[in-house]
């Protein structure tokens, strides 16, 4: 079984930066894709960013493109989300996910999920 664990959330002010981390543990794990999703209160979970592990190709939601950057550490099987120019609308619980079996922007595709980390951006 694979476990994903996010860290790095907290409270920041609008315009600040924050970096989230997600590490994988468990059986020998070589992900195909690792991704970040987020869920704001009263809203559905939405795609934020994804990275194909071998190629390094990245994908972003339009709402974060140019502000957020997804990256990886191959040796640690860890994915990061660098978030710059944060806005109050970025406030959400951020989830890490891995190994989709379909469309990488869909929550329904992913087999493995972390428990989430809260990011709060004050205005």
């Amino acid at each position: 079984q694979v476990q994903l664990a996010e860290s790095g959330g907290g409270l920041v002010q609008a315009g600040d930066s924050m970096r989230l981390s997600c590490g994988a543990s468990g059986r020998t794990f070589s992900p195909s894709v690792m991704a970040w999703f987020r869920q704001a209160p009263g809203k559905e979970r939405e795609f934020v960013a994804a990275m194909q592990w071998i190629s390094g190709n990245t994908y972003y939601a339009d709402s974060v493109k140019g502000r957020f950057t997804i990256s990886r550490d191959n040796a640690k099987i860890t994915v990061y989300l660098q978030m710059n120019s944060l806005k109050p609308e970025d406030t959400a619980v951020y989830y890490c996910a891995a190994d989709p079996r379909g469309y990488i922007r869909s929550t329904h595709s992913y087999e493995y999920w972390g428990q989430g980390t809260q990011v709060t951006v004050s205005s």
Side-chain angles (χ1 to χ4, degrees):
Q1 184 70 350
V2 173
Q3 292 84 40
L4 302 177
E6 303 95 339
S7 62
L11 172 64
V12 295
Q13 293 188 331
D16 286 351
S17 297
M18 177 182 288
R19 190 176 82 156
L20 306 181
S21 301
C22 172
S25 62
R27 63 168 173 83
T28 301
F29 182 53
S30 180
S32 59
V33 172
M34 292 190 74
W36 290 95
F37 288 77
R38 67 186 181 186
Q39 187 166 18
K43 295 187 177 181
E44 293 188 352
R45 194 171 298 188
E46 65 175 5
F47 172 78
V48 175
M51 173 175 274
Q52 292 181 317
W53 205 251
I54 294 177
S55 69
N57 290 338
T58 57
Y59 307 88
Y60 295 95
D62 288 344
S63 59
V64 306
K65 200 173 294 183
R67 300 189 298 123
F68 291 11
T69 303
I70 188 170
S71 61
R72 71 185 188 284
D73 184 322
N74 286 335
K76 296 180 180 179
I77 314 298
T78 297
V79 66
Y80 303 98
L81 186 67
Q82 177 66 41
M83 304 184 292
N84 298 330
S85 302
L86 282 161
K87 305 175 181 180
E89 50 264 44
D90 294 319
T91 295
V93 177
Y94 283 70
Y95 296 91
C96 174
D99 276 3
R101 295 183 177 183
Y103 186 46
I104 64 172
R105 296 175 184 256
S106 171
T107 58
H108 302 292
S109 297
Y110 286 81
E111 181 174 3
Y112 303 112
W113 289 90
Q115 293 191 332
T117 184
Q118 176 70 47
V119 172
T120 303
V121 184
S122 64
S123 57

